[in-house]
Amino acid sequence: MVEVRLENLKKYFDGGKVKAVDGVNLTIKDGEFLVLLGPSGCGKTTTLRMIAGLEEPTEGRIWFGDREVTYLPPKDRNISMVFQSYAVWPHMTVYENIAFPLQIRKFPRDEIDKRVRWAAELLQIEGLLDRYPAQLSGGQRQRVAVARAIVVEPDVLLMDEPLSNLDAKLRVAMRAEIKKLQTRLKVTTIYVTHDQVEAMTMGDRIAVMNAGKVLQVGPPTEVYLKPNSVFVATFIGAPEMNILEVSVADGYLEGRGFRIELPDDIMEILRPYIGKGVLFGIRPEHMTVEGVSEMSHMRRTVRLRGRVDFVEALGTDTILHVKLGDELIKVKLPGHVPLEVGKEVTLLLDIDMIHVFDKS
Ligand code: ADP
Ligand code: MG
């Protein structure tokens, strides 16, 4: 087990035209489960490949504890990697697949046997050891890939969207299993995904990436409650946070055809912005509709008149699209909501859950 430190890590491709990773500073604690979260193309895989030693950085350094590994070949790093494409070898049995990394490392035969059975048991595939990958389901193959990764007891476990080829139900189940396995093994883990739900449910901390840079690092609830930018705010949470252009006045926010009254304490914080345009953010789950759904945890609410524009009934929840002046805002309510398009409603906004971002 080891702490991983990335120091101003950069990877440019095509003579500098593609800045895949653009100055990442990040410390992953010993035994931590860190999720690298970001949209496709933001540099997650490239970052992971540099940590694995599969890609040489353009600039910057990588440390495993006190040991600099920036230019070490993968075999000298004691890491394991699990890919999206399970990459189990079709011509080998499950047993041989899991044993393979131990054979390369020249473990004695009885130690190999012990470890293969240990890993297979952890992944609940003891009964499949004699099968070939073609005789396995996608989920079972992914278990083999994970077993093969942990069998060497790596210092660092790297996972690149390992669940994205599984169907939705299996993905949810494996999510919990991988998390439990990691908690048990306490292996420093860096897990790449573009799925914010995976990030929220699995990570001890989440590092949100965009365009080659890490924008924010923190525990899931912190990133959810205190996003430091519109990008992070809208990337975490679904449906995404409402972002509206407003200007700050003395006592209220003025939007296009609506006004949000502010309590004195919040107004004090926003006082320096009076006369300026800002971006106002509120999550769909931090509002409700008067007379329809009350939220007991709402401490202070502000009322806003609107009109129902569209209703998405999801069964467990209902997403209302509400016309607010010239804007549309999404409101998430639990369960079925007996409201129809065109209905006038009063929204109750949890005023302590609002966000204000600089326009830029
Ligand atoms: P992610 O895993 O977040 O989807 P990647 O790390 O795969 O992103 O890619 C980041 C950026 O670097 C993308 O614009 C991608 O096209 C580019 N890229 C990745 N690998 C190479 C390469 N070998 N040559 C040129 N460009 C690359
Ligand atoms: Mg990728």
Side-chain angles (χ1 to χ4, degrees):
M1 315 299 133
V2 75
E3 177 185 278
V4 176
R5 205 163 78 248
L6 312 180
E7 237 176 60
N8 191 31
L9 201 60
K10 294 184 183 173
K11 182 66 187 183
Y12 295 174
F13 291 108
D14 299 338
K17 268 186 283 181
V18 179
K19 297 182 173 177
V21 177
D22 199 12
V24 165
N25 289 289
L26 193 57
T27 300
I28 301 102
K29 296 174 214 158
D30 186 358
E32 184 175 31
F33 194 121
L34 181 108
V35 177
L36 258 188
L37 172 70
S40 176
C42 75
K44 306 181 297 293
T45 294
T46 306
T47 303
L48 214 60
R49 286 173 58 82
M50 288 192 282
I51 300 169
L54 299 168
E55 200 87 68
E56 217 170 75
T58 306
E59 216 181 294
R61 304 169 97 182
I62 303 169
W63 299 83
F64 286 3
D66 297 334
R67 191 163 67 114
E68 185 179 357
V69 301
T70 315
Y71 300 106
L72 277 188
K75 67 174 178 51
D76 296 333
R77 299 191 185 202
N78 198 26
I79 51 111
S80 287
M81 193 151 167
V82 180
F83 301 90
Q84 173 179 354
S85 56
Y86 324 122
V88 289
W89 293 290
H91 60 286
M92 291 183 190
T93 63
V94 168
Y95 186 100
E96 289 162 348
N97 261 285
I98 302 174
F100 189 71
L102 298 169
Q103 282 163 350
I104 292 180
R105 287 169 169 82
K106 310 234 184 301
F107 276 73
R109 181 186 289 266
D110 56 340
E111 177 68 18
I112 291 179
D113 193 63
K114 217 169 80 190
R115 286 199 181 209
V116 169
R117 290 181 194 285
W118 165 78
E121 198 189 316
L122 275 178
L123 272 300
Q124 294 155 36
I125 47 174
E126 312 101 296
L128 306 174
L129 289 172
D130 296 328
R131 295 218 197 154
Y132 284 90
Q135 301 167 295
L136 302 176
S137 69
Q140 290 169 334
R141 248 174 277 165
Q142 190 58 314
R143 283 168 191 273
V144 176
V146 175
R148 194 183 52 188
I150 62 162
V151 78
V152 296
E153 299 191 57
D155 286 332
V156 184
L157 180 59
L158 305 171
M159 303 183 119
D160 193 355
E161 315 228 10
L163 304 183
S164 50
N165 280 352
L166 304 179
D167 65 56
K169 216 170 165 178
L170 200 52
R171 207 155 59 218
V172 174
M174 278 302 277
R175 203 153 80 191
E177 274 203 50
I178 289 179
K179 175 68 183 175
K180 278 193 250 175
L181 184 67
Q182 192 275 343
T183 308
R184 200 162 149 189
L185 297 177
K186 294 243 176 296
V187 53
T188 309
T189 300
I190 305 171
Y191 184 104
V192 159
T193 183
H194 64 272
D195 180 341
Q196 55 98 17
V197 179
E198 257 176 42
M200 289 294 289
T201 54
M202 297 176 84
D204 295 324
R205 286 189 306 153
I206 302 174
V208 185
M209 270 189 95
N210 190 36
K213 293 184 179 353
V214 171
L215 300 187
Q216 187 170 1
V217 192
T221 42
E222 187 180 302
V223 176
Y224 170 82
L225 290 172
K226 295 186 187 330
N228 67 1
S229 56
V230 171
F231 182 88
V232 173
T234 52
F235 202 79
I236 302 258
E240 70 179 43
M241 186 187 285
N242 297 290
I243 301 285
L244 305 172
E245 285 189 31
V246 297
S247 57
V248 182
D250 194 358
Y252 58 91
L253 299 172
E254 179 87 62
R256 279 193 279 263
F258 65 94
R259 218 173 240 203
I260 300 167
E261 303 289 337
L262 297 174
D264 292 344
D265 57 327
I266 294 177
M267 193 58 233
E268 275 322 301
I269 301 168
L270 292 179
R271 195 157 291 282
Y273 292 93
I274 286 180
K276 293 202 181 103
V278 295
L279 295 172
F280 162 81
I282 180 92
R283 292 195 184 277
E285 58 270 36
H286 293 148
M287 286 179 284
T288 185
V289 175
E290 192 174 53
V292 171
S293 174
E294 307 303 330
M295 283 190 201
S296 57
H297 65 265
M298 277 196 173
R299 290 155 296 175
R300 295 195 293 174
T301 54
V302 161
R303 299 155 73 92
L304 271 178
R305 293 291 289 170
R307 191 167 41 77
V308 178
D309 189 70
F310 188 67
V311 181
E312 288 179 64
L314 305 176
T316 49
D317 304 300
T318 302
I319 315 296
L320 292 181
H321 300 218
V322 177
K323 190 103 171 127
L324 198 65
D326 298 336
E327 304 273 14
L328 268 181
I329 191 165
K330 287 185 186 173
V331 181
K332 182 175 168 181
L333 300 171
H336 171 72
V337 170
L339 283 176
E340 281 168 19
V341 171
K343 175 102 172 115
E344 296 279 337
V345 289
T346 300
L347 298 182
L348 301 174
L349 234 94
D350 185 347
I351 199 67
D352 292 301
M353 298 304 275
I354 69 167
H355 301 263
V356 171
F357 302 102
D358 281 325
K359 262 185 181 175
S360 55

